[in-house]
Amino acid sequence: MIFLVLSVVTFVVSGLLFALLERRWPARGRRAIGGALALELPYVLLSNALPGWAVGRLGAALHVAGPLPALPMVVQWLVVLMVTELTFYAVHRAMHTWPALWRLHAPHHAPAEMDWLAGFRKHTGEALLHGLAPLPVLVLLGPAVEVMLFHTLFGVVLTGFTHLNSSVRLGWLEAVLVTPRVHAWHHAVAVEDQRRNLAGKLTVLDRVFGSWSGVRGWPAAIGLADGVGSRDDWRTTHGLRRGASQ
């Protein structure tokens, strides 16, 4: 439960900072915060917090005495980071390759406005896939609980940060870390752009596996063709009610 509580607190605190950055240095027009919260909060709770909690509970139940706790905390986290990044990249690339998986991933690309809240727009099935993919390796490695807690909170912050609607620049970090200017191109309307910049946190994976496209300013349009699904709420995305207005 502590993971879930701290994740919510981290979401709120980082969200306030991101909202201020978007207001001060917006890259594109901003959504009204009230409407954005009403649309995206169910995704935050039902497609992020709840699956994350469930996968965390499963991991705790399967926990074994692995080799990682003998290493310093920083080294443990770097190992966890690479394991989760590799599985994220593999699953993400598959979602942009196989139609059956694309149907799960398409809701994440539907928003026509890029901002920190839109980063949490996803199908619950996608969240579960990303959570379960690294679980067998992490269970066998057995990292310390504190390491997994830090990694969870780091992921909450990075999810909002990489989708930030802000022109703020980070210098040399943009060559290492996935930043808003890097990730915005992954959300461009053109399919060829959506199949680039697939990494979740570290750009090195895109460079190694040939999916890097670099930073070229900002894309002219975000989302799916003709705004498909841009205003779909959580129930519509999950087939619990008929399509929303566009």
Side-chain angles (χ1 to χ4, degrees):
M1 185 59 70
I2 189 66
F3 276 60
L4 183 59
V5 172
L6 288 178
S7 294
V8 171
V9 172
T10 301
F11 168 81
V12 172
V13 174
S14 62
L16 289 173
L17 174 60
F18 294 151
L20 290 173
L21 287 173
E22 289 182 338
R23 185 173 183 83
R24 179 64 180 84
W25 294 290
R28 296 166 55 91
R30 301 190 306 272
R31 289 193 292 177
I33 188 64
L37 284 170
L39 180 62
E40 310 297 357
L41 273 181
Y43 286 100
V44 172
L45 297 174
L46 300 175
S47 289
N48 290 270
L50 185 58
W53 174 82
V55 171
R57 293 298 299 166
L58 178 60
L62 298 174
H63 180 75
V64 297
L68 275 191
L71 302 175
M73 291 286 192
V74 173
V75 176
Q76 290 187 55
W77 178 65
L78 290 175
V79 172
V80 170
L81 177 63
M82 289 311 302
V83 169
T84 55
E85 272 295 273
L86 285 167
T87 57
F88 176 90
Y89 182 92
V91 172
H92 194 188
R93 188 158 188 163
M95 286 178 170
H96 281 275
T97 304
W98 299 338
L101 291 180
W102 169 249
R103 285 193 287 273
L104 288 180
H105 187 51
H108 183 65
H109 281 266
E113 300 91 3
M114 176 73 84
D115 58 30
W116 72 276
L117 270 170
F120 296 90
R121 174 93 66 96
K122 64 183 67 170
H123 193 285
T124 304
E126 174 181 356
L128 286 171
L129 276 177
H130 280 305
L132 291 171
L135 196 60
V137 176
L138 293 179
V139 166
L140 291 175
L141 291 175
V145 173
E146 295 83 357
V147 171
M148 291 308 301
L149 176 58
F150 175 78
H151 186 70
T152 298
L153 302 184
F154 180 69
V156 172
V157 175
L158 259 290
T159 296
F161 171 72
T162 55
H163 295 83
L164 198 63
N165 172 25
S166 176
S167 58
V168 62
R169 300 194 177 198
L170 297 176
W172 64 269
L173 270 178
E174 293 189 345
V176 179
L177 195 67
V178 175
T179 66
R181 295 200 317 137
V182 169
H183 196 63
W185 279 98
H186 177 67
H187 281 264
V189 171
V191 173
E192 56 268 28
D193 285 320
Q194 294 171 8
R195 292 177 175 171
R196 299 286 182 176
N197 295 357
L198 295 165
K201 299 178 179 70
L202 303 175
T203 62
V204 64
L205 296 185
D206 285 306
R207 299 174 191 275
V208 169
F209 295 115
S211 52
W212 173 249
S213 69
V215 177
R216 297 160 281 155
W218 290 90
I222 298 291
L224 300 176
D226 301 322
V228 174
S230 62
R231 299 179 186 176
D232 283 354
D233 62 18
W234 187 90
R235 289 176 295 172
T236 304
T237 294
H238 291 75
L240 300 178
R241 77 173 189 176
R242 302 182 76 172
S245 60
Q246 299 300 322

